Amino acid sequence: MELESNINQKANGDVASNGGSDSKESSVERELNGEIEAVELNGGPSNGHNHIKKPLPVGDGHDGRIKRKAKRLIQRQNSGSGSGSGTSATSLTNGAATAGGGIVPSIASTTVSSLANGMLPSGTGYVVPHRRWKNSRRSRNLTRGRGLPKKGGAGGKGVWGLPGSEALAEVYEDENDPNYDSEVNDRNVELREVITEITPEEFFKLAEPIVLEYYEHGDTHEVAVSFDEILQSPLREYITSILVEIAMDHKDSQREMTSVLISDLYGRVITGKDIEKGFNMVLANLPDLILDTPEAPVMLGNFMARAIADDCMPPKFVSRPEEHQQMNEYAEQALRRADALLHKQVWAHLDNVWGMGGPLRPVKTITKQMTLLLKEYLSSRDVAEAQRCLRALEVPHYHHELVYEAVVMTLESLSQTTEEAMCELLKSLDLTCLVLPAGMEQGFMRVFDDMADIVLDVPLAYIILDRFVERCNRAGFLTDKIINNVPSRGRKRFVSEGDGGHVKPATLPMRD
């Protein structure tokens, strides 16, 4: 307690002597400039007296002192335990007193808990505030609040606002703002749903994937649902024209599916008038379609005849060509084709106007058509027509049957002319890849397996087969597997050879 009274008396004397000369300086600045002696925090008493250590002067080099703004009161409480008096608290207070019209600051009073060991407890005494407190956003008033940032972090210099506030809509809109849009911010606006109309070109792009997908699954109900989603009333008449134009670029099986689709869409998605308008569009567009599809008039005639047979439009559509406007020569040819198909009393044949699809036909029907194809080729020797007819059958998995029928027909003809023609046909089919090597091998191997039955009708079958295989080998389209598996019949032995001309069995019967 004696040390506390001595320190207070010495501090009051120093303050009284310096108060008149420089009253505007804070206690912190005078302490840093050596005008106030602070209690040494890191040392103990020496020679029985407490030494007061003056901090080193820190300044800008002009007057040897730092000019700082006066800080508010900083209260710091440190826990400590003394060994003598039993008190454990250190309180730092900063006060101000006026003297001679100026402000005279007072030094902080230090309470020392115990000096029994001659040392001050660590963490006690007056501490100069750190620079980091200057830029802190925490409240200076520690007696109120929890020391959190002001305004939730939205206040202070260089702060753009509360984090996340940029996503909130602005309630107030300044008309003087350069980004202010009077049309957008006008409150007297009525919003209505506007459905944009698509053009026929855009509708064709949307409908084409639906039709191509229909060729894969064949579900007309799915097509109707898809058209209902994208269809608008002015575009209904374009459905028929789109279906017919897409089908012209595909095979007969897809054309048959297109005719079935038109019949199923009738009455649900499109009407008879829409179908007539669609065919009129195709008739007018025939001069352009014939450039890519030379048989477009014949195909269009088949489509119109099939639609009339399915009761999708009246027969007068093709029987009265004078009702159509701006008829061209290709349109007249298509109408004549449809009228010729409808001239017969029975329209049941129009159900197969496109023929039957390849996989849907029975095997016997396909075999019969391949036999007719080969007979027509032998009479005309037109390889291109034979290839076209083979493509029209649409049975690539069954081409080995054509090879089998061609070889058997060669063996039964007993003519070298037929052998040359069939060798030329098989070579052309191999070069154009209409018949794959696997199909060629399967056809020849089937003949080799049936030679035991064929030789009963054609005794010279083995000789003709050897000659034909050798000719085909010279043509270069037979594989080694075919050549190595060619069968050969055993030679009949003569009487002079001692066995009586009989062929000996493989095993001799045992006698009793």
Side-chain angles (χ1 to χ4, degrees), residues 119-237:
M119 296 180 61
L120 291 175
S122 62
T124 60
Y126 183 79
V127 180
V128 180
H130 299 288
R131 184 180 296 271
R132 63 183 176 86
W133 286 100
K134 175 183 178 182
N135 298 326
S136 175
R137 295 178 186 172
R138 295 175 59 182
S139 177
R140 297 292 195 269
N141 189 2
L142 298 181
T143 60
R144 298 179 183 179
R146 295 174 297 170
L148 300 177
K150 294 182 295 183
K151 299 181 181 180
K157 182 179 180 181
V159 179
W160 289 42
L162 188 66
S165 61
E166 65 275 2
L168 302 177
E170 296 183 1
V171 179
Y172 174 74
E173 298 175 351
D174 188 7
E175 296 183 358
N176 297 325
D177 189 355
N179 297 326
Y180 179 78
D181 190 355
S182 60
E183 296 181 358
V184 175
N185 297 280
D186 190 3
R187 303 303 179 187
N188 300 324
V189 176
E190 182 180 359
L191 301 179
R192 296 179 181 178
E193 183 181 3
V194 178
I195 301 176
T196 58
E197 296 183 359
I198 60 178
T199 61
E201 292 78 10
E202 295 175 348
F203 180 67
F204 181 83
K205 294 180 180 179
L206 295 175
E208 185 177 10
I210 299 176
V211 178
L212 296 178
E213 186 178 357
Y214 164 70
Y215 290 156
E216 299 294 334
H217 58 72
D219 188 0
T220 57
H221 175 72
E222 182 69 22
V223 178
V225 173
S226 301
F227 275 134
D228 288 337
E229 295 177 355
I230 65 173
L231 192 59
Q232 299 176 0
S233 55
L235 300 174
R236 295 184 184 275
E237 57 190 31

Side-chain angles (χ1 to χ4, degrees), residues 382-397:
D382 191 352
V383 177
E385 180 66 16
Q387 293 178 359
R388 187 193 66 80
C389 294
L390 184 60
R391 292 191 185 95
L393 293 178
E394 300 179 14
V395 283
H397 60 282

Side-chain angles (χ1 to χ4, degrees), residues 108-122:
S109 61
T110 305
T111 303
V112 183
S113 60
S114 177
L115 296 176
N117 53 0
M119 296 180 61
L120 291 175
S122 62

Side-chain angles (χ1 to χ4, degrees), residues 155-356:
K157 182 179 180 181
V159 179
W160 289 42
L162 188 66
S165 61
E166 65 275 2
L168 302 177
E170 296 183 1
V171 179
Y172 174 74
E173 298 175 351
D174 188 7
E175 296 183 358
N176 297 325
D177 189 355
N179 297 326
Y180 179 78
D181 190 355
S182 60
E183 296 181 358
V184 175
N185 297 280
D186 190 3
R187 303 303 179 187
N188 300 324
V189 176
E190 182 180 359
L191 301 179
R192 296 179 181 178
E193 183 181 3
V194 178
I195 301 176
T196 58
E197 296 183 359
I198 60 178
T199 61
E201 292 78 10
E202 295 175 348
F203 180 67
F204 181 83
K205 294 180 180 179
L206 295 175
E208 185 177 10
I210 299 176
V211 178
L212 296 178
E213 186 178 357
Y214 164 70
Y215 290 156
E216 299 294 334
H217 58 72
D219 188 0
T220 57
H221 175 72
E222 182 69 22
V223 178
V225 173
S226 301
F227 275 134
D228 288 337
E229 295 177 355
I230 65 173
L231 192 59
Q232 299 176 0
S233 55
L235 300 174
R236 295 184 184 275
E237 57 190 31
Y238 288 92
I239 293 180
T240 305
S241 61
I242 291 174
L243 294 177
V244 173
E245 291 180 4
I246 294 176
M248 285 184 178
D249 296 333
H250 290 76
K251 299 178 181 179
D252 288 342
S253 58
Q254 282 81 16
R255 299 185 189 112
E256 173 66 23
M257 296 176 67
T258 303
S259 297
V260 174
L261 179 61
I262 294 175
S263 177
D264 290 349
L265 294 180
Y266 170 70
R268 176 177 178 179
V269 179
I270 54 179
T271 61
K273 293 294 183 181
D274 296 332
I275 296 176
E276 292 181 10
K277 292 180 181 179
F279 279 120
N280 283 327
M281 293 179 184
V282 182
L283 288 172
N285 198 25
L286 272 179
D288 296 334
L289 295 176
I290 202 172
L291 298 177
D292 298 330
T293 310
E295 298 180 357
V298 178
M299 294 180 184
L300 182 57
N302 294 345
F303 275 115
M304 291 187 293
R306 178 63 179 273
I308 294 173
D310 293 338
D311 295 331
C312 296
M313 62 181 184
K316 66 178 182 179
F317 182 81
V318 297
S319 60
R320 299 178 184 178
E322 62 275 3
E323 296 182 1
H324 302 280
Q325 299 178 358
Q326 299 179 357
M327 293 289 295
N328 52 69
E329 57 177 342
Y330 303 109
E332 294 177 357
Q333 181 180 354
L335 292 174
R336 287 195 301 268
R337 168 69 177 178
D339 190 27
L341 293 175
L342 294 172
H343 237 43
K344 297 181 180 181
Q345 296 296 329
V346 182
W347 290 353
H349 68 283
L350 294 177
D351 293 338
N352 296 327
V353 67
W354 301 111
M356 298 180 65

